[in-house]
Amino acid sequence: MLLAIDCGNTNTVFSIWDGTRFLATWRTSTYHGRTADQYFVWLTTLMQTAKLDVTISGAIISSTVPRVVFNLRVLCNRYFDCRPFVVGRPETALPVDVRVDPGTQVGPDRLVNTVGAHDRFGGDLIVVDFGTATTFDVVDSDGAYIGGVIAPGVNLSLEALHQAAAALPHIDITTPTRVIGKNTVDCMQSGVFWGYVGLIREITTRIRAEHGRPMQVIATGGLAPLFQQGDAVFDHFEESLTMHGLTVIYNHNKDKAP
């Protein structure tokens, strides 16, 4: 069994893959002080609750938080007796090229999404990921990552509104019933929701024009279904795109010892 770990700025996701499907997926908040022992107790408790009696034989990690990687590697080494592949490390090869400016470091999550999307949908793609940041990743016809766009995340924007303006409350994002708000909460929800719909439309339109070929737009991340309701021109929604990309990268590397 493969343990796939995706560590983002806000949450860390653990999934168990049996070679054909994900048996279980769990999420915890990302915290650099969490030890390998704590991860193990948390993870095995959830496995027992789900009645999963499996043996982990391999692991792969993608992390945008470098300080967390050490304890995740210790978890895999100490408790599962396997040395994990880490996306972004030289020993972990990608099945696609990365064509960006020399010296540019691309976030592992963006590379994993590129790999997963290309495996599912082929080339000429725009992958929109609703995470801590809202990212747009451009996948060339041969699957290569060729750049993208980074915008503030939806929840980050809401938090900034609340913190910077004392009179504005903390709210959750939802689909507004109308554009013109009749109270403060409705006004904020409309501004953020339709503002991001406009952002998605405008950026994907400009990427398509610059790329010069027809492109599919793939959405992933927790808020993607919400914005699909806003007619944001997504061709596909893939909830587990990042985890799927991790399995593809693992299969590309598994025959060599990390």
Side-chain angles (χ1 to χ4, degrees), residues 40-50:
F40 179 72
V41 171
W42 174 80
L43 187 58
T44 53
T45 300
L46 289 172
M47 291 170 66
Q48 290 168 3
T49 301

Side-chain angles (χ1 to χ4, degrees), residues 172-229:
D172 293 324
I173 185 65
T174 187
T175 306
T177 56
R178 54 193 175 192
V179 176
I180 302 173
K182 298 295 186 180
N183 55 66
T184 301
V185 171
D186 285 352
C187 289
M188 293 174 66
Q189 288 177 335
S190 180
V192 172
F193 181 85
W194 292 113
Y196 271 87
V197 170
L199 179 145
I200 294 161
R201 283 179 172 172
E202 182 68 16
I203 290 180
T204 54
T205 297
R206 288 181 176 271
I207 289 175
R208 281 180 167 127
E210 192 170 299
H211 192 62
R213 290 193 295 271
M215 306 180 78
Q216 295 185 83
V217 180
I218 316 301
T220 191
L223 291 177
L226 177 70
F227 285 96
Q228 179 67 17
Q229 298 174 36

Side-chain angles (χ1 to χ4, degrees), residues 56-239:
I56 303 299
S57 56
I60 185 167
I61 300 168
S62 170
S63 178
T64 58
V65 187
R67 296 173 66 187
V68 177
V69 173
F70 174 78
N71 283 323
L72 291 175
R73 294 184 70 164
V74 173
L75 166 71
C76 298
N77 285 322
R78 178 183 298 167
Y79 290 107
F80 301 122
D81 194 27
C82 62
R83 187 178 177 191
F85 291 102
V86 179
V87 179
R89 298 288 176 90
E91 64 271 17
T92 303
L94 297 176
V96 300
D97 289 334
V98 179
R99 295 198 284 266
V100 294
D101 291 342
T104 300
Q105 290 188 336
V106 182
D109 55 331
R110 306 182 75 181
L111 298 176
V112 173
N113 281 347
T114 294
V115 171
H118 179 250
D119 184 72
R120 286 276 173 91
F121 304 104
D124 293 321
L125 307 173
I126 305 169
V127 181
V128 185
D129 189 354
F130 292 88
T132 304
T134 301
T135 57
F136 300 73
D137 296 315
V138 183
V139 185
D140 210 351
S141 56
D142 62 351
Y145 176 87
I146 58 173
V149 176
I150 301 175
V154 177
N155 288 322
L156 195 63
S157 296
L158 286 171
E159 190 64 28
L161 269 177
H162 170 62
Q163 291 184 356
L168 297 182
H170 185 279
I171 65 169
D172 293 324
I173 185 65
T174 187
T175 306
T177 56
R178 54 193 175 192
V179 176
I180 302 173
K182 298 295 186 180
N183 55 66
T184 301
V185 171
D186 285 352
C187 289
M188 293 174 66
Q189 288 177 335
S190 180
V192 172
F193 181 85
W194 292 113
Y196 271 87
V197 170
L199 179 145
I200 294 161
R201 283 179 172 172
E202 182 68 16
I203 290 180
T204 54
T205 297
R206 288 181 176 271
I207 289 175
R208 281 180 167 127
E210 192 170 299
H211 192 62
R213 290 193 295 271
M215 306 180 78
Q216 295 185 83
V217 180
I218 316 301
T220 191
L223 291 177
L226 177 70
F227 285 96
Q228 179 67 17
Q229 298 174 36
D231 189 26
V233 201
F234 298 139
D235 296 294
H236 303 280
F237 165 63
E238 284 289 321
E239 182 179 10

